[in-house]
């Protein structure tokens, strides 16, 4: 999303790339030597189909184990790990929580989450996954073998910090949530609409910093509503604890659903 | 930069389907609501196929404009910015009519 064509004067329009005859597009790429097509094979295959099939396998496993799954996304530094730490401090006695921690290289975030009563399974996307900037269904599947799913009520998948790529890859989750910090400005929903549209809940974090910023919260919320009018907004500060009850309520309600359904 | 893994995924699908026959042009449809950059995807394609049986094949990307349909007034219109509101009546009760496509549609078998 967000690939609306823009000119240097800032105007945008769609280029009228109607799916017309293929000949219209023959100027794209280098086709030298390939004017001798013998046969055109129609296949109509979804490009992310393989990921979606693996995501469905994950979903079946989650269902069989009676665990509900939240895919938590954000840009780097929005406060996902701090929010999860604060969440575990409050909710780990009430709900059995597991965490899949996505990180390109390090175990820093997984280490920060250890010792709070949750099972943590780390996926380093640099190890065998090409250093990807997102978690896909296969990477999450690789992490599940290290978790005892039936002993959990709730699995939180902390995605790699990135506002673009994670939104394209389903991992078999029940719900998607994002953490957004007030230091990121008002316009990001319009710039990264795929992410903001994908989520059920937007946690607006670091609200303790609002007095020191020129962040116009109403403008941000208007932009968010333009992109995703159905998103539930929860204002938090992982540092002061503001709003964490509301966030934990949402999470535990999600997990409670698993007890009822399981 | 997920275009690299996506290129690998397209290549795997085409390779399976072509079963050893030489492939020329590979056509995909890409909706404008997808967070995928066509130029980057084409570049990644050339990297992914280099030195493989698909070397020399090209990716032909047909972009599909994002269009919304209003559930309140029935208008259908093309989205020009990421504002999911009816441009006629202002309603937020809109559904996506097109723009989320991401499909391999066909490829060419080439050769003598």
């Amino acid at each position: 999303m967000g690939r609306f064509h823009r000119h240097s004067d800032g105007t945008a329009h769609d280029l009228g790339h109607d799916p017309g005859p293929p000949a219209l597009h023959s100027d794209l790429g280098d086709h030298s030597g390939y004017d001798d097509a013998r046969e055109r094979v129609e296949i109509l295959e979804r490009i992310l189909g393989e990921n979606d099939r693996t995501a469905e396998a994950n979903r079946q496993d989650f269902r069989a184990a009676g665990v509900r799954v939240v895919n938590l996304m954000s840009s780097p530094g929005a406060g996902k790990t701090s929010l999860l730490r604060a969440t575990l401090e409050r909710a780990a006695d009430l709900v059995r929580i597991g965490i899949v921690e996505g990180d390109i290289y390090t175990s820093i975030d997984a280490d920060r989450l250890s010792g709070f009563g949750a099972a943590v399974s780390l996926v380093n996307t640099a190890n065998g996954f090409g250093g990807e900037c997102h978690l896909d269904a296969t990477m999450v599947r690789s992490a599940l073998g290290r978790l005892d799913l039936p002993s959990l009520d709730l699995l939180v998948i902390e995605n790699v910090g990135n506002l673009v790529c994670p939104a394209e890859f389903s991992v078999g989750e029940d719900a998607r949530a994002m953490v957004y910090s007030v230091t990121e400005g008002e316009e990001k929903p319009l710039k990264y609409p795929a992410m903001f549209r994908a989520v059920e809940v937007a946690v607006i974090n670091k609200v303790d910093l609002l007095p020191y910023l020129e962040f116009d919260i109403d403008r941000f919320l208007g932009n968010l509503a333009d992109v995703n009018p159905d998103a539930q907004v929860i204002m938090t500060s992982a540092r002061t604890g503001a709003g964490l009850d509301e966030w934990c309520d949402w999470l535990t309600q999600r997990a409670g659903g698993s007890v009822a359904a399981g | 930069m997920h275009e690299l893994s996506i290129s690998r995924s397209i290549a795997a699908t085409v390779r399976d389907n072509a079963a050893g026959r030489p492939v020329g042009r590979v056509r995909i449809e890409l909706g404008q609501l997808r967070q995928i950059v066509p130029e980057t995807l084409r570049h990644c394609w050339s990297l992914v196929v280099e030195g493989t049986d698909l070397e020399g094949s090209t990716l032909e990307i047909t972009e599909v404009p994002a269009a919304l349909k209003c559930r309140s007034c029935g208008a259908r219109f093309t989205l020009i910015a990421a504002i999911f509101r009816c441009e006629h009546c202002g309603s937020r009760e809109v559904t996506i009519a097109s723009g989320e496509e991401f499909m391999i549609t066909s490829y060419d078998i080439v050769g003598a």
Side-chain angles (χ1 to χ4, degrees):
Chain A
M1 216 188 287
R3 291 178 306 96
F4 304 101
H5 295 268
R6 278 172 211 291
H7 295 270
S8 50
D9 65 359
T11 57
H13 65 94
D14 86 72
L15 285 182
H17 282 170
D18 299 309
L24 287 178
H25 302 279
S26 60
D27 59 333
L28 294 175
D30 173 16
H31 304 298
S32 53
Y34 281 117
D35 291 331
D36 55 346
R38 280 194 303 167
E39 183 191 346
R40 179 167 171 151
V41 184
E42 312 281 339
I43 54 175
L44 288 181
E45 180 83 23
R46 282 183 304 138
I47 289 171
L48 295 174
E50 186 59 38
N51 183 74
D52 291 346
R53 282 187 284 276
T54 307
E56 187 52 37
N58 290 349
R59 189 170 286 121
Q60 297 297 334
D61 288 355
F62 296 146
R63 228 166 254 163
V67 60
R68 287 292 168 103
V69 181
V70 173
N71 183 359
L72 188 64
M73 305 178 285
S74 81
S75 49
K80 288 188 301 302
T81 311
S82 299
L83 184 76
L84 282 180
R85 263 176 78 125
T87 303
L88 293 179
E89 283 175 341
R90 280 170 173 71
D93 293 340
L94 308 171
V95 182
R96 298 170 299 169
I97 302 177
I99 293 174
V100 171
E101 177 61 47
D103 191 292
I104 299 178
Y105 297 109
T106 76
S107 66
I108 293 171
D109 288 352
D111 296 343
R112 286 172 66 200
L113 292 171
S114 68
F116 288 93
V120 181
S121 181
L122 173 67
V123 182
N124 279 133
T125 66
N127 295 340
F129 297 115
E132 291 288 0
C133 49
H134 59 267
L135 291 179
D136 67 19
T138 302
M139 297 179 210
V140 168
R141 196 154 188 78
S142 78
L144 298 185
R146 298 189 291 273
L147 290 169
D148 179 27
L149 289 181
S151 72
L152 301 175
D153 301 313
L154 175 70
L155 182 66
V156 179
I157 296 169
E158 183 179 348
N159 219 307
V160 179
N162 183 334
L163 274 188
V164 181
C165 313
E168 286 285 349
F169 296 88
S170 166
V171 296
E173 67 275 62
D174 294 295
R176 290 169 157 192
M178 72 177 295
V179 182
Y180 188 76
S181 69
V182 296
T183 56
E184 296 178 72
E186 297 92 353
E187 315 300 341
K188 294 294 185 298
L190 304 178
K191 292 182 175 179
Y192 303 94
M195 171 66 70
F196 286 87
R197 278 186 67 75
V199 300
E200 189 176 306
V201 169
V203 176
I204 313 305
N205 193 31
K206 307 190 190 181
V207 292
D208 54 307
L209 296 180
L210 280 172
Y212 312 104
L213 301 171
E214 291 182 2
F215 181 74
D216 182 340
I217 187 86
D218 291 331
R219 204 164 99 221
F220 167 77
L221 292 175
N223 290 337
L224 175 61
D226 278 344
V227 170
N228 183 354
D230 299 324
Q232 181 181 341
V233 173
I234 301 176
M235 306 275 189
T236 66
S237 165
R239 196 170 72 87
T240 68
L244 290 181
D245 287 346
E246 192 184 349
W247 161 245
C248 289
D249 281 350
W250 181 80
L251 269 185
T252 49
Q253 274 171 18
R254 273 306 195 168
S258 85
V259 174
Chain B
M1 190 77 148
H2 47 320
E3 284 84 355
L4 198 57
S5 56
I6 285 169
S7 293
R8 285 196 200 101
S9 164
I10 299 171
T13 301
V14 172
R15 185 172 288 123
D16 282 355
N17 203 282
R21 295 173 294 173
V23 173
R25 199 172 297 176
V26 176
R27 296 178 193 82
I28 70 167
E29 272 187 7
L30 173 59
Q32 284 190 331
L33 291 173
R34 290 285 181 168
Q35 196 89 57
I36 291 156
V37 183
E39 293 74 18
T40 310
L41 192 58
R42 267 194 292 272
H43 177 64
C44 288
W45 178 261
S46 66
L47 295 178
V48 161
V49 300
E50 194 179 322
T52 76
D53 50 338
L54 293 176
E55 181 158 3
S57 65
T58 55
L59 209 53
E60 181 180 295
I61 302 170
T62 300
E63 289 195 70
V64 183
L68 297 186
K69 189 172 190 320
C70 178
R71 289 203 296 269
S72 298
C73 75
R76 188 193 151 108
F77 55 95
T78 302
L79 203 61
I80 54 168
I83 295 174
F84 291 76
R85 217 168 15 184
C86 178
E87 64 179 25
H88 298 281
C89 74
S91 169
R92 283 183 162 140
E93 296 293 311
V94 291
T95 51
I96 294 171
S98 71
E100 293 189 310
E101 295 78 1
F102 198 30
M103 303 273 294
I104 307 171
T105 53
S106 68
Y107 61 90
D108 287 342
I109 301 292
V110 296

